[in-house]
C-alpha cells in the first residue's frame, strides 16, 4: 500500500532575477551541517555563471568533500562520522549521503533554473529522509526513489521538489512484503517496480500501481540486484543467472553460465543497451571481475564480453560514455572504452597506477563516474582525483586531496 506524506513544501518564486537570494549557499556556525530550510544564500555566497557548473561529491573517512568539476579544487568539506555513501539526487543541485540515520541531503551549491545558473557554497543540511539501513537511490524520469533495507520501505518524491521545498519535499510511500536489500524504480506512468525478497534471499521483481496494488510479478531473478532503465522506458534488473527485463511484461534473458551474476546495471536514456558487471564463479574470492555484459533490450540479445588479459575491475568501475560506450576503469590503471553493440575495444587511456581490488567492498579503491564526456577517476593510492577527456584521452585536471577519496557522485549543476 502506498501513502502520501506532506512536508508543506514552500514554492519559491522567481528563481531567475532573485536567484542570488535563494537557498543552499550560506555558511553555518557548525561546519558539519545546517538546516536546509534556514540556508538562504545572500549575494556574497552565490553568483550567476554562464553555464551549469558541475560539482563532485567525494566521501572519505570522516566526511564529504565537494569539488569544482572543472578545476577539481575543493570548495566544501563537511565532517560526518561513519561509513558514507553518496548518490546524486537528480535535480542538478543536491546529493544524498547515506548515513546511519538515512539519506542526508547535501546541497552542492550549484543549480540551474529558467535558463540561468548559479554557484555558491555547499552545505550538508540537517534534512534527512529517515531510513532503517538506507540503501539504493534511483532517479528516473522526474522521480527519485529511496529504499530502506532494514524495513523494505520505499520512499518516492518529485525530484525537482528538493529545489523548492522548505525542508523535505512531499513523499509517497510503499511497503515491501518483507525487509531485504532491495531497490525500486518509479516509472513515468506512476507504477513502481520493486524487488522481492526477505532475510533469506531475493527472488525477483513485482509491479505496483500508484495505490500499491500488485499488477504483475516475476520470481525468475534469484539474487536480484542492480537496476537501470534504457530507451523506451524498459527496465533491466541483474540476477544470479542473467538479467530480467520489463517492458510491460517480464522477459528473462539467461546467462551462458549456470552461475552468471550481474549485480550492477548502467544505462542511458538514449540507448536500448544495458551494461552490467558479470561474475561466473560463485566461489571467487575478492571483488575483481574480468568480464561484463551487454544486453540489447530491442533484440533480447545478451552477450558477455571478456576484458583483455590481466585487466579486471570492481563494481565501482563501470560507466557509460558520451556515445553510450561501455567504460571500464581497469586494474591496469587504464580507462577502456568498448562499443556497446559489438563489445569491441575502441580505446584505452592510462590514468592511474595499477591497483588491486579491495579486501572489503567498503575499502577505498579507484572509482569512475562520467559526466558530459569527462571521466572522473578517484585515485586513493595518491589521495587524488583526475578528470579525463574520453574523446582524446587527455587528463584535463588532477585534484590533490588531504584525505583518501572513497565514493564519488556528480552533481550536474
Amino acid at each position: 500500500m502506498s501513502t502520501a506524506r506532506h512536508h508543506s513544501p514552500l514554492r519559491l518564486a522567481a528563481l531567475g532575477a532573485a536567484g542570488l537570494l535563494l537557498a543552499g549557499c550560506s555558511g553555518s556556525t557548525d561546519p558539519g551541517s545546517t538546516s536546509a530550510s534556514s540556508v538562504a544564500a545572500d549575494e556574497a555566497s552565490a553568483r550567476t555563471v554562464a553555464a551549469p557548473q558541475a560539482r563532485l561529491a567525494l566521501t572519505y573517512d570522516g566526511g564529504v568533500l565537494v569539488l569544482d568539476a572543472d578545476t577539481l579544487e575543493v570548495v566544501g568539506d563537511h565532517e560526518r562520522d561513519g561509513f558514507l555513501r553518496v548518490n546524486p539526487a537528480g535535480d542538478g543541485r543536491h546529493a544524498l549521503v547515506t548515513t546511519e540515520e538515512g539519506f542526508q541531503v547535501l546541497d552542492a551549491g550549484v543549480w540551474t533554473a529558467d535558463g540561468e545558473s548559479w554557484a555558491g557554497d555547499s552545505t550538508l543540511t540537517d534534512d534527512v529522509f529517515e531510513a532503517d539501513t538506507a540503501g539504493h537511490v534511483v532517479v528516473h524520469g522526474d522521480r527519485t526513489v529511496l529504499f530502506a533495507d532494514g524495513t523494505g520501505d520505499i520512499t518516492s518524491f518529485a525530484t525537482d521538489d528538493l529545489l523548492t521545498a522548505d525542508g523535505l519535499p512531499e513523499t509517497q510511500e510503499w511497503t515491501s512484503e518483507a525487509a531485504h536489500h532491495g531497490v525500486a524504480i518509479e516509472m513515468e506512468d506512476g507504477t513502481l517496480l520493486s524487488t522481492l525478497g526477505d532475510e533469506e534471499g531475493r527472488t525477483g521483481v513485482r509491479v505496483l500501481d500508484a495505490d500499491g496494488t500488485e499488477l504483475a510479478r516475476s520470481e525468475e531473478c534469484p539474487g536480484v540486484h542492480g537496476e537501470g532503465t534504457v530507451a523506451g522506458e524498459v527496465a533491466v534488473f541483474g540476477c544470479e543467472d542473467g538479467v530480467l527485463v520489463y517492458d510491460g511484461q517480464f522477459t528473462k534473458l539467461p546467462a551462458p553460465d549456470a552461475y552468471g551474476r550481474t549485480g550492477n546495471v548502467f544505462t542511458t536514456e538514449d540507448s536500448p543497451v544495458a551494461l552490467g558487471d558479470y561474475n561466473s564463479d560463485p566461489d571467487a574470492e575478492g571483488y575483481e571481475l574480468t568480464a561484463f555484459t551487454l544486453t540489447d533490450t530491442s533484440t533480447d540479445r545478451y552477450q558477455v564480453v571478456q576484458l583483455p588479459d590481466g585487466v579486471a575491475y570492481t563494481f565501482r568501475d563501470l560507466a557509460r560514455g558520451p556515445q553510450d560506450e561501455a567504460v571500464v576503469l581497469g586494474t591496469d590503471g587504464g580507462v577502456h572504452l568498448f562499443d556497446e553493440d559489438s563489445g569491441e575495444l575502441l580505446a584505452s587511456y592510462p590514468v592511474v597506477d595499477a591497483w588491486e581490488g579491495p579486501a572489503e567492498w567498503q575499502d577505498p579503491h579507484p572509482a569512475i563516474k562520467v559526466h558530459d564526456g569527462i571521466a572522473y577517476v578517484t585515485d586513493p593510492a595518491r589521495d587524488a582525483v583526475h578528470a579525463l577527456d574520453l574523446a582524446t584521452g587527455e587528463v584535463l585536471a588532477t585534484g590533490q586531496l588531504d584525505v583518501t577519496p572513497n565514493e564519488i557522485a556528480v552533481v550536474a549543476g
Side-chain angles (χ1 to χ4, degrees):
M1 180 178 182
S2 65
T3 58
R5 185 169 63 198
H6 298 267
H7 294 280
S8 300
L10 173 63
R11 302 294 178 183
L12 298 177
L15 259 176
L20 297 179
L21 301 177
L22 295 187
C25 301
S26 69
S28 168
T29 55
D30 176 3
S33 62
T34 187
S35 171
S37 61
S38 68
V39 179
D42 58 20
E43 292 186 4
S45 63
R47 67 186 189 283
T48 56
V49 289
Q53 302 290 298
R55 285 183 173 173
L56 309 180
L58 289 173
T59 67
Y60 64 92
D61 185 9
V64 184
L65 296 179
V66 178
L67 278 63
D68 181 286
D70 289 333
T71 65
L72 300 185
E73 295 179 352
V74 175
V75 295
D77 186 353
H78 308 284
E79 296 180 0
R80 190 68 162 82
D81 293 333
F83 174 68
L84 306 176
R85 310 201 72 184
V86 64
N87 291 278
D91 64 349
R93 176 170 178 167
H94 297 93
L96 298 175
V97 181
T98 304
T99 70
E100 292 183 355
E101 290 76 27
F103 303 91
Q104 186 168 0
V105 179
L106 171 69
D107 187 337
V110 288
W111 69 99
T112 296
D114 298 333
E116 294 188 81
S117 299
W118 296 269
D121 296 337
S122 63
T123 304
L124 183 60
T125 77
D126 285 336
D127 289 326
V128 178
F129 294 93
E130 295 182 359
D132 180 347
T133 316
H136 283 265
V137 176
V138 176
V139 179
H140 174 63
D142 60 0
R143 304 289 292 184
T144 301
V145 181
L146 316 175
F147 199 97
D149 293 345
T151 59
D153 290 341
I154 301 163
T155 300
S156 168
F157 61 90
T159 303
D160 285 349
D161 280 359
L162 270 181
L163 295 170
T164 56
D166 180 14
L168 297 177
E170 176 183 331
T171 62
Q172 186 171 5
E173 314 288 336
W174 286 268
T175 302
S176 298
E177 292 180 336
H180 64 284
H181 177 52
V183 68
I185 305 172
E186 187 171 349
M187 310 304 279
E188 292 181 4
D189 64 1
T191 59
L192 186 84
L193 305 181
S194 66
T195 52
L196 294 162
D198 56 27
E199 61 182 10
E200 300 297 326
R202 303 181 299 276
T203 58
V205 179
R206 64 175 179 163
V207 184
L208 306 176
D209 67 14
D211 295 323
T213 301
E214 183 173 309
L215 304 177
R217 72 164 57 198
S218 170
E219 298 192 54
E220 293 187 272
C221 192
V224 58
H225 189 277
E227 83 299 319
T229 307
V230 299
E233 232 197 359
V234 178
V236 180
F237 294 84
C239 315
E240 290 180 349
D241 57 358
V243 297
L244 185 65
V245 177
Y246 181 79
D247 61 358
Q249 63 182 9
F250 287 107
T251 301
K252 177 64 176 290
L253 301 180
D257 302 288
Y259 180 87
R261 180 180 186 270
T262 290
N264 297 275
V265 177
F266 302 84
T267 59
T268 74
E269 295 181 354
D270 300 322
S271 170
V273 177
L275 166 67
D277 56 13
Y278 190 72
N279 176 22
S280 60
D281 183 0
D283 300 318
E285 297 181 358
Y287 298 94
E288 292 187 4
L289 302 171
T290 58
F292 61 86
T293 63
L294 294 170
T295 302
D296 188 337
T297 61
S298 66
T299 61
D300 288 346
R301 184 186 64 179
Y302 175 91
Q303 62 176 317
V304 176
V305 180
Q306 298 292 329
L307 291 179
D309 290 344
V311 180
Y313 69 98
T314 78
F315 63 95
R316 289 183 180 169
D317 302 316
L318 294 182
R320 301 300 292 269
Q323 305 301 319
D324 298 324
E325 308 97 324
V327 181
V328 183
L329 172 59
T331 54
D332 62 341
V335 170
H336 308 279
L337 278 66
F338 295 84
D339 183 88
E340 67 163 347
D341 294 316
S342 67
E344 176 187 358
L345 179 63
L346 302 174
S348 295
Y349 305 125
V351 181
V352 299
D353 294 336
W355 53 279
E356 295 182 353
E360 302 292 340
W361 70 265
Q362 300 95 331
D363 294 342
H365 60 282
I368 187 170
K369 296 293 181 183
V370 174
H371 172 68
D372 200 21
I374 306 299
Y376 297 98
V377 177
T378 64
D379 191 352
R382 297 183 179 274
D383 290 345
V385 60
H386 310 284
L388 173 75
D389 187 335
L390 290 178
T392 65
E394 179 186 0
V395 176
L396 301 176
T398 291
Q400 199 64 46
L401 310 174
D402 293 329
V403 297
T404 300
N406 198 341
E407 296 212 348
I408 179 173
V410 180
V411 179

